[in-house]
Amino acid sequence: MASHHHGGSSNAVAVSGARIALVGAPNAGKSTLFNQLTGLNVKTGNYPGVTVGRETGFFSVDGEQFALEDLPGAYSLASVSPDEEVVRQFLAGELDAQGINKPQAVLAVLDATTLDQSLSLLSQVFALGMPTCVVLTMTDELQMRSGSIDTAALEKALGVPVVTSLAHRRGGVDDVREACAHWQHWSTPVVAPPTDPAGVRQWVGSVLNTAGYKPADPDSRTATIDSILLHPVWGLLAFIGVMFLLFQAIFTAATPFQDGLEYLFGLLGDFVRASISIPWLASFLADAVIGGVGGMLVFVPQIMFMFLVLAILEGSGYLARAAFLMDGLMAKAGLEGRAFVSLLSSLACAIPGIMSTRTMSSSRHRLATMLAAPLMTCSARLPIYVMLIGMLVPAGTYIGPLQVQGLVMFALYLGGALAAMITAWLVTKLIGRKANMFPFYLEMPPYRFPTAKTLFIVTWNAVAAFLKRAGTMILAATAVMWLLLNISIGQGSTDGNNQPSLDTSVAGSIGRVMEPVFEPLGYNWQINVGILSSLTARETFVSTMGQIASADNPDDPAEALQTMTYTSGSREGEKVFTPATIASLLVFFMFALQCVATMVVLRKESGSWRWPALAFGYMFALAWVGAFITRLIVEAVTA
Amino acid sequence: MPIIPLSSLKRGDTAIIASVTERDAKWNRRLEDLGFTPGTVVTTLRRAPFGGPTVYRVRSYELSLRKSEAACIFVNARSADG
Ligand SMILES: Nc1nc2c(ncn2[C@@H]2O[C@H](COP(=O)(O)OP(=O)(O)O)[C@@H](O)[C@H]2O)c(=O)[nH]1
Ligand SMILES: [Mg+2]
């Protein structure tokens, strides 16, 4: 989620040097090299499909400026999936009408351990007729696995410059930069390689021969690890263990940090209330800014831990194994193994999950996965769940050895995942079997140690994106909400002690307009307003409820929520947050597509508003009916 | 040497690809681009649970294919020590 991502809009910055594209198979090391050359921090990882869009960066050498384009990996320029299509279109200059962005030269990034495979891609790149330079990566692994290559001879055989780089350790980056300075002298090969399959094979064979290529032995470390992690029994047990660890990381490891932050923000709020004498300003700062945004910031540790664990899984190469192990199960829902990885990353946020479907060559699998992703429990739902579960189940309640709060949380995650799978299955049934000719194939990269930088980038990008959301969207939403809560319509706007009455506020009237829809679920206008505000970002529900509560009772907002009563309607006088209401809210948020950003991305990725509109309607209906039934059941049980 | 589908090759067995069934131009092209061309050596490495895919070593990398795809690739069965 780097800020330099773009899907195809024109950003024609004139450069004195050249616009150079990084082309190569998935996992060849393009993004790692890109980061080293440009100083940017795009995501890298040991899983085919980490980069799914185009990223632009700049670097200069000898006083000339170059634009570098990181592209998704491609096995071939004859694209079969949306991410590969980005590569093909970009190289052909089709991404913008004027062709301004068409690169002038290509850096072909080739993994030295899979050279006999990647040279066929190079032959296709040569056919484009652009000045080309080959960057050979992974020569360290080639050596370790007792392979070798004579790069000078390779250069002769290919007829284009060849540089080696070990960008994950900053090796050879200067050589690549230096080579770019002379891009005008990069040759297009003297003898163009053949284009027919048999001819290409022959060409590859003769190039490797001339270059004295000794292929790498199969990686014994990977073979050993896979004999356990891909074992039909041990592999599945290890898989369950890994998933369990992921949850532990989110819920247990982050808790102390979270408690610490909560305490700090509590102190800060008290301090502001005590030291600012202008009542409205104190209320704005303490309730809206600290109560709202601070209430979000306490979730930073959880987000950090979740992304860190996901980055370790991705960087090590385990995600590809997880996809492999899950393919059989996913096939039963009409999906494929990679969908598992998309859904897993949707636990952090549905948006990267949806974007990652670009690697799927079957449009049916892709659409089904995209529509399932928003049902996975994303990190934005966490604050809501934590708040509501805290109100539903007293901390320290146990059934046997199991903590009940944790059980409820687990049930919500499970419910979301089940709903996602069923939805995917429905979608694949609805779209039918047509146009699903594409082979499922998934590369199993060798296990690698994720570099500290990779882990840092992924974690930091996630935290930065979250902080940005908290600082912009959520802050804006809380500020608007504060206004709506504090501006009253009509007379009697104050109830004596200079405290505006919430019932007559603008927010109050908005919430009441929504009453016919949510009344059957037992929600009062305050909750309705919270649900409406959560469309901007789900977490806003928590900050809005916090604001409403602390406007009611600044000293103890939690108490204010617990004791809130209906002020009108058939339930007048009764408590609002009964177990029935809370459970029904939990179910509502488990299913509802309360996220504008997700809908925008769905529209962009699917190419029409039809799918996000359908998804919103479908998930709202699911949420409403689910919440209604939950309410009935819990009422019956607790009555 | 008998010609059998890749999907019926036993775990640990190595064979040479003889032919790939014509199905669809784009589809065949992809298998070719992934390295499944006649004359290429393939090794069956391991199978996934729940009737899932199988990992093959083809050329110098490891790739998993579902049974339905592997059934379209025909190989010359030869002895495992080959
Ligand atoms: N051993 C080794 N690993 C590398 C090298 N270059 C990149 N990597 C690792 O290879 C993996 C794939 O890198 P990435 O840049 O994401 O590949 P991309 O898919 O081509 O963008 C990452 O785990 C990198 O840390 C290299 O030269 N040697
Ligand atoms: Mg990449």
Side-chain angles (χ1 to χ4, degrees), chain A residues 336-637:
Chain A
E336 58 152 290
R338 263 178 295 213
F340 173 79
V341 173
S342 299
L343 294 183
L344 188 70
S345 50
S346 301
L347 287 182
C349 171
I351 292 173
I354 290 169
M355 306 272 290
S356 69
T357 62
R358 286 190 188 178
T359 57
M360 296 180 190
S361 41
S362 149
S363 53
R364 191 166 74 116
H365 287 162
R366 183 163 184 242
L367 196 61
T369 312
M370 286 201 291
L371 295 179
L375 286 164
M376 297 299 289
T377 301
C378 63
S379 54
R381 283 178 174 97
L382 259 183
I384 303 176
Y385 287 179
V386 169
M387 172 182 108
L388 292 174
I389 293 176
M391 293 169 73
L392 184 66
V393 184
T397 316
Y398 284 84
I399 300 182
L402 297 168
Q403 204 204 340
V404 177
Q405 287 196 339
L407 273 182
V408 176
M409 185 66 92
F410 185 72
L412 290 166
Y413 270 79
L414 204 64
L418 273 178
M421 295 301 285
I422 293 169
T423 301
W425 180 80
L426 275 176
V427 174
T428 51
K429 281 282 162 286
L430 285 179
I431 327 176
R433 294 212 141 262
K434 62 174 188 295
N436 186 31
M437 296 288 287
F438 267 97
F440 164 80
Y441 59 89
L442 181 66
E443 186 179 346
M444 299 280 158
Y447 287 103
R448 297 192 167 107
F449 276 104
T451 61
K453 185 173 174 186
T454 301
L455 301 184
F456 173 79
I457 288 174
V458 174
T459 313
W460 170 245
N461 281 353
V463 171
F466 182 79
L467 290 181
K468 201 175 142 204
R469 240 150 78 91
T472 53
M473 285 277 260
I474 299 175
L475 182 61
T478 28
V480 167
M481 197 51 64
W482 182 82
L483 276 177
L484 295 183
L485 285 169
N486 285 280
I487 300 173
S488 299
I489 356 181
Q491 288 105 27
S493 62
T494 53
D495 56 10
N497 48 16
N498 213 10
Q499 183 85 316
S501 161
L502 291 178
D503 268 357
T504 55
S505 66
V506 180
S509 358
I510 296 175
R512 257 187 294 273
V513 172
M514 296 165 68
E515 254 166 12
V517 180
F518 289 111
E519 222 264 344
L521 305 182
Y523 305 164
N524 64 352
W525 73 256
Q526 286 92 333
I527 298 179
N528 296 347
V529 169
I531 288 177
L532 187 68
S533 72
S534 74
L535 275 171
T536 56
R538 285 189 181 87
E539 310 93 311
T540 314
F541 179 76
V542 174
S543 58
T544 303
M545 295 318 290
Q547 277 178 282
I548 293 176
S550 58
D552 232 24
N553 180 358
D555 297 327
D556 193 351
E559 172 72 17
L561 277 191
Q562 293 280 14
T563 55
M564 183 184 272
T565 53
Y566 295 101
T567 51
S568 60
S570 56
R571 299 191 184 92
E572 191 168 346
E574 292 171 32
K575 258 173 72 174
V576 176
F577 283 94
T578 58
T581 308
I582 300 172
S584 113
L585 264 174
L586 283 171
V587 171
F588 183 83
F589 277 104
M590 172 161 68
F591 295 139
L593 181 44
Q594 293 293 104
C595 180
V596 175
T598 301
M599 285 191 273
V600 172
V601 170
L602 267 179
R603 135 84 234 202
K604 212 174 123 208
E605 296 296 309
S606 69
S608 94
W609 278 113
R610 196 166 52 142
W611 295 111
L614 188 99
F616 183 81
Y618 162 75
M619 287 172 203
F620 185 85
L622 199 63
W624 196 95
V625 173
F628 184 71
I629 295 173
T630 306
R631 181 176 184 89
L632 288 185
I633 294 173
V634 177
E635 253 174 357
V637 172

Side-chain angles (χ1 to χ4, degrees), chain A residues 4-251:
Chain A
H4 301 269
H5 173 82
H6 37 77
S9 59
S10 150
N11 78 326
V13 181
V15 284
S16 52
R19 183 168 290 270
I20 300 178
L22 287 165
V23 180
N27 265 338
K30 299 175 294 301
S31 298
T32 308
L33 181 64
F34 176 85
N35 283 345
Q36 292 292 355
L37 281 171
T38 63
L40 290 177
N41 287 326
V42 303
K43 197 175 162 195
T44 62
N46 198 19
Y47 176 74
V50 173
T51 314
V52 292
R54 181 164 72 91
E55 314 270 347
T56 309
F58 301 91
F59 67 94
S60 44
V61 46
D62 296 351
E64 289 204 275
Q65 219 202 5
F66 289 84
L68 192 66
E69 306 276 358
D70 189 21
L71 294 171
Y75 290 102
S76 156
L77 295 185
S79 59
V80 296
S81 52
D83 61 332
E84 288 186 337
E85 182 61 10
V86 171
V87 181
R88 192 197 63 75
Q89 286 188 336
F90 181 62
L91 291 178
E94 286 172 17
L95 279 188
D96 55 333
Q98 306 84 26
I100 310 170
N101 280 325
K102 190 176 183 326
Q104 286 131 309
V106 174
L107 269 177
V109 181
L110 307 185
D111 174 347
T113 63
T114 61
L115 211 51
D116 52 349
Q117 166 65 8
S118 40
L119 279 181
S120 2
L121 176 67
L122 183 67
S123 77
Q124 297 172 18
V125 171
F126 279 165
L128 297 171
M130 278 192 257
T132 303
C133 172
V134 166
V135 180
L136 210 53
T137 60
M138 316 278 180
T139 45
D140 52 339
E141 291 192 2
L142 180 69
Q143 247 173 20
M144 244 171 41
R145 288 157 56 185
S146 46
S148 62
I149 189 159
D150 176 350
T151 41
L154 179 66
E155 194 168 83
K156 265 208 204 84
L158 290 174
V160 300
V162 175
V163 276
T164 53
S165 133
L166 296 168
H168 67 309
R169 293 197 311 241
R170 297 172 174 276
V173 174
D174 289 334
D175 297 344
V176 179
R177 192 177 291 128
E178 205 46 53
C180 289
H182 310 293
W183 71 277
Q184 270 151 327
H185 305 291
W186 292 356
S187 21
T188 43
V190 206
V191 197
T195 46
D196 63 294
V200 170
R201 290 314 309 151
Q202 222 170 13
W203 177 77
V204 171
S206 78
V207 167
L208 291 177
N209 214 3
T210 316
Y213 184 60
K214 182 172 178 300
D217 291 340
D219 186 14
S220 56
R221 186 174 63 180
T222 298
T224 312
I225 301 176
D226 272 347
S227 66
I228 300 162
L229 292 186
L230 296 186
H231 188 276
V233 177
W234 308 134
L236 280 181
L237 286 180
F239 172 81
I240 294 167
V242 166
M243 292 301 120
F244 179 75
L245 267 180
L246 177 67
F247 279 92
Q248 282 293 311
I250 306 172
F251 295 113

Side-chain angles (χ1 to χ4, degrees), chain A residues 76 78-79 84 113-114 116-117 124 197 201 218 223 230 324 327 335-336 437 439-444, chain B residues 23-24 26-27 29-30 32-35 46 48-50 53 55 57 59-66 69:
Chain A
S76 156
S79 59
E84 288 186 337
T113 63
T114 61
D116 52 349
Q117 166 65 8
Q124 297 172 18
R201 290 314 309 151
L230 296 186
F324 170 79
D327 184 65
L335 297 176
E336 58 152 290
M437 296 288 287
F440 164 80
Y441 59 89
L442 181 66
E443 186 179 346
M444 299 280 158
Chain B
R23 232 163 83 175
D24 163 280
K26 224 176 158 186
W27 187 90
R29 171 70 197 271
R30 177 47 43 136
E32 196 175 277
D33 283 330
L34 290 173
R46 46 191 109 252
F50 315 118
V55 188
R57 181 177 306 117
R59 297 198 183 149
S60 46
Y61 71 131
E62 293 177 12
L63 193 81
S64 57
L65 286 185
R66 281 184 176 171
E69 272 76 41

